[in-house]
Amino acid sequence: MTIYEGKDYKDLSKKAAEIIAAEIRINPGAVLGLATGSTPEGVYEQLVEWYEAGELDFSKVTSINLDEYKGLDGSHEQSYRHFMYQHFFDHVNIKKNRTFVPDGTEMNSEKACMEYEEIITQNGGIDLQILGLGANGHIGFNEPGEVFIPETHCVKLTQNTIDANSRFFESREEVPKEAYSMGIRGILQAKKIILMAVGKQKAQALYDALYGGISPEVPASILQLHPHVAVFADGEALTVVKENRP
């Protein structure tokens, strides 16, 4: 596991984007596992900038997103598919039929999850997975719990996550209470993983993920078992790591 400290958010986003850009240049048909939320926005912005400068080609790339709110159509402005169009897909030459996000409109959870597992398998798994880190240690919507769930599953979101996401909705009541999430197996089978953490509110979770015991109570701690994880964090997110690193 390698840790990169960015001078600021823009710097760490550029460093993470450089890894993704290198993957695409080496493997033009790369399968990218993508994340949403505020943390990777800077990465997508940088990749778009390089695309517009003629330095990157996404025409053969496939993307598989981590998660989606159950009950939201892809056109809903708070859906994760909409997020991806707004911040990335609409600004590069990736083929839309090669961009995969769980189907939030499928209310049959078992069917939705089985279909997404098939998509991951049919595309040969993920070459490079981008992950944000929740303040409670979640990755994707793999929330703290009693066991690691290997396959794509329907998650009842914790109050902590609902509260964190409520800033994107007009009221807390409008925040979906369930989501579809790629499971731990899908994440761990990625050949390479980028974990991003920004802000002091992520500091304890980042330390627990990197140096604590491996436990489903801190889902990101499972990444300690992966051979190729690069962590990109700012100084605030690394405060507890610097104070306590073995």
Side-chain angles (χ1 to χ4, degrees), residues 106-169:
E106 177 56 73
M107 301 310 289
N108 182 328
S109 298
E110 184 176 355
K111 182 173 184 288
C113 295
M114 287 181 60
E115 289 177 347
Y116 211 61
E117 281 292 302
E118 289 175 7
I119 287 169
I120 297 170
T121 300
Q122 289 169 1
N123 283 282
I126 293 164
D127 293 307
L128 177 58
Q129 176 68 58
I130 307 166
L131 297 172
L133 177 68
N136 63 359
H138 76 235
I139 46 177
F141 272 130
N142 290 282
E143 298 279 14
E146 296 181 356
V147 295
F148 291 110
I149 301 177
E151 63 282 333
T152 301
H153 54 287
C154 183
V155 185
K156 291 188 183 298
L157 303 182
T158 65
Q159 193 59 49
N160 180 287
T161 298
I162 292 169
D163 291 343
N165 291 344
S166 64
R167 69 188 188 275
F168 301 116
F169 293 81

Side-chain angles (χ1 to χ4, degrees), residues 91-116:
H91 307 286
V92 298
N93 65 333
I94 193 168
K95 291 181 172 61
K96 301 302 192 298
N97 64 352
R98 296 176 76 159
T99 63
F100 298 100
V101 180
D103 183 4
T105 65
E106 177 56 73
M107 301 310 289
N108 182 328
S109 298
E110 184 176 355
K111 182 173 184 288
C113 295
M114 287 181 60
E115 289 177 347
Y116 211 61

Side-chain angles (χ1 to χ4, degrees), residues 28-39:
V31 179
L32 301 180
L34 302 183
T36 54
S38 57
T39 302

Side-chain angles (χ1 to χ4, degrees), residues 71-83 169 174:
L72 293 192
D73 183 89
S75 62
H76 190 287
E77 63 179 11
Q78 294 304 334
S79 74
Y80 288 158
R81 177 167 282 282
H82 183 272
F83 175 99
F169 293 81
E174 292 184 21

